[in-house]
Amino acid sequence: MDDAMGNAAGGGDVRGPTTLLDVRDVTVRFGDLTVLDNVRMEVGLGEIVGLIGSNGSGKSSLLNVASGYYQPSEGEALISGMSTSHLSPEGVARLGVGRSFQNIGSLQELTAGEYMMLGLETDWAVGLAPALLSLRSSRRAERAAREIVRGWAERAGVVDYVGVPLKHCPYGVRKIADIVRAVIAGPTLLLLDEPTSGVASGDRAMIADLIRMLVEGSDRSIVVVDHDVEFVSSLATSMVALAAGRVIARGATTEVLADRAVVDTFIGHASEGLVDRIAPGDHS
Ligand SMILES: Nc1ncnc2c1ncn2[C@@H]1O[C@H](COP(=O)(O)OP(=O)(O)OP(=O)(O)O)[C@@H](O)[C@H]1O
Ligand SMILES: [Mg+2]
C-alpha cells in the first residue's frame, strides 16, 4: 500500500518493500557526546552499500543501531519496514540481520569450524530446537550443523582450517570465519565491520570474492565498512560517508568518491582519480 500510494501520489517518499534497511534520521548520544547526528541511510534488496569514514566517525555505531546493539536517542531504524526500536540484538537478528565484528575477541581457542557453527546457535536458524529433544536427534543435528559449516568453509576457501584453532589461523581466515558465522543462518541483511582490517592483500581479494558471492543471485544485502576505500568502492554500488557522526556524502559510489568533502576529509588528494581506476559495483 505504501508503495502504490506513494508512487501514485508522485510523492517524495519512494521507500517501499524494496528498502531492506531504512535508517531514519538517527541520532545517538552518550552523555554529552553525539556519536551519530541525524543520520539517514537506506539499503535496497540485493545491494552492497559501502560505509566509509575516518576513525571515530561513527561507522561501528551505525552498524550497532542497525543490529539493535544501540538504541537511537532520536529517529529509528527499520528492517523491511519493521521498527527495531525496543528490540534486543537477538530480536533484530530474528528479522534477518547478521553482523560481523571489528574484533573477533576472546574465542581464539575455538577451531574455525566451531566458531562458524556459533552462527547456527539460534532457534530460528535451522530448526535445531526440535532436534534437541532427544540425544539421538541432537547428534543428528550436530552432524547436520557440521555439514553446513563444511559446505560454507568450502565455498569460502577455508575448508583446510575447519579443525584448526582460530589462534593458529592466518588473520584472513579468522576474518572469513567471522563472515561465515554471521551469514550461516541465512540473514537477508549482512553488516560487515572492517572485514579486511589487518588482512594481507592476497586474502583481501578472497574476502572480496566471498562478499560478492554472498549477494550473487540472491536478495541478500550487505553493508560493508572498511578503511580501505578502494576495497569498499570495488564492491559497493552506493556509499555513505561519515565524518564526526554526520553524513557528508551519500549516493552512487562514483558520486561519493568524486565528492569534494569526501576527498578533503579522509580520502586525501593522493587518492583522487580513484573513481577512474575502479569499476564500482562491478560484480562480475
Ligand atoms: N558505547 C559507547 N559509549 C561512549 N562512546 C561511544 C560508544 N560507542 C562509540 N562511542 C564513541 O563514538 C564515536 C564513534 O565511534 P565508532 O566506534 O562508531 O567509530 P568508527 O567510525 O567505527 O571508528 P573506527 O574506524 O576506529 O572503528 C567515538 O568517539 C567513540 O568513542
Ligand atoms: Mg569501527
Side-chain angles (χ1 to χ4, degrees), residues 266-283:
F266 56 79
I267 294 183
H269 293 273
S271 296
E272 277 189 284
L274 196 59
V275 68
D276 300 321
R277 293 209 302 276
I278 57 154
D282 178 3
H283 294 181

Side-chain angles (χ1 to χ4, degrees), residues 44 79 83 114 116 118 133 136 176 205 210 215 243 266 274-275:
I79 307 291
S83 176
E114 287 165 342
M116 292 186 256
L118 292 178
L133 287 172
R136 262 184 66 204
I176 288 174
L210 173 60
V215 291
F266 56 79
L274 196 59
V275 68

Side-chain angles (χ1 to χ4, degrees), residues 11-284:
D13 191 353
V14 292
R15 289 173 290 201
T18 56
T19 303
L20 189 52
L21 170 66
D22 188 0
V23 174
R24 291 188 178 172
D25 306 323
V26 160
T27 294
V28 171
R29 291 189 204 92
F30 292 104
D32 290 341
L33 186 67
T34 300
V35 305
L36 292 174
D37 190 357
N38 213 20
V39 168
R40 270 205 299 133
M41 181 167 80
E42 284 141 42
V43 178
L45 280 183
E47 192 183 13
I48 301 181
V49 175
L51 180 56
I52 57 172
S54 43
N55 289 115
S57 57
K59 304 180 300 296
S60 296
S61 297
L62 186 48
L63 296 195
N64 284 340
V65 168
S67 49
Y69 287 88
Y70 287 178
Q71 283 295 333
S73 311
E74 288 164 32
E76 63 177 346
L78 294 92
I79 307 291
S80 305
M82 293 176 64
S83 176
T84 62
S85 297
H86 313 299
L87 286 183
S88 64
E90 293 72 27
V92 176
R94 267 183 225 113
L95 295 179
V97 178
R99 163 87 198 266
S100 83
F101 291 92
Q102 205 166 331
N103 305 300
I104 57 176
S106 58
L107 296 164
Q108 307 281 331
E109 299 292 329
L110 296 183
T111 65
E114 287 165 342
Y115 186 79
M116 292 186 256
M117 205 179 287
L118 292 178
L120 289 171
E121 302 256 320
T122 46
D123 53 4
W124 60 276
V126 285
L128 286 182
L132 290 172
L133 287 172
S134 77
L135 188 62
R136 262 184 66 204
S137 51
S138 154
R139 289 208 191 98
R140 217 167 33 233
E142 192 184 328
R143 257 202 312 277
R146 281 186 198 286
E147 266 167 38
I148 293 169
V149 165
R150 208 175 166 79
W152 272 98
E154 263 166 22
R155 270 173 282 157
V158 295
V159 73
D160 292 345
Y161 293 95
V162 162
V164 178
L166 279 182
K167 62 182 178 188
H168 297 315
C169 291
Y171 205 68
V173 172
R174 294 186 217 177
K175 295 295 248 185
I176 288 174
D178 197 40
I179 295 172
V180 172
R181 177 201 54 72
V183 78
I184 199 164
T188 44
L189 176 65
L190 185 61
L191 309 168
L192 301 178
D193 200 349
E194 304 208 14
T196 71
S197 64
V199 172
S201 58
D203 290 346
R204 274 167 195 251
M206 246 176 105
I207 292 173
D209 288 345
L210 173 60
I211 293 172
R212 286 192 191 95
M213 186 188 90
L214 294 177
V215 291
E216 259 163 24
S218 84
D219 276 346
R220 179 177 294 123
S221 309
I222 296 182
V223 178
V224 60
V225 168
D226 214 279
H227 279 275
D228 183 342
V229 175
E230 198 157 351
F231 171 82
V232 174
S233 319
S234 70
L235 292 167
T237 44
S238 70
M239 301 218 289
V240 172
L242 288 177
R246 291 186 183 184
V247 174
I248 57 167
R250 60 209 284 274
T253 296
T254 41
E255 287 164 24
V256 172
L257 290 178
D259 186 277
R260 179 55 46 196
V262 170
V263 172
D264 286 347
T265 308
F266 56 79
I267 294 183
H269 293 273
S271 296
E272 277 189 284
L274 196 59
V275 68
D276 300 321
R277 293 209 302 276
I278 57 154
D282 178 3
H283 294 181
S284 61

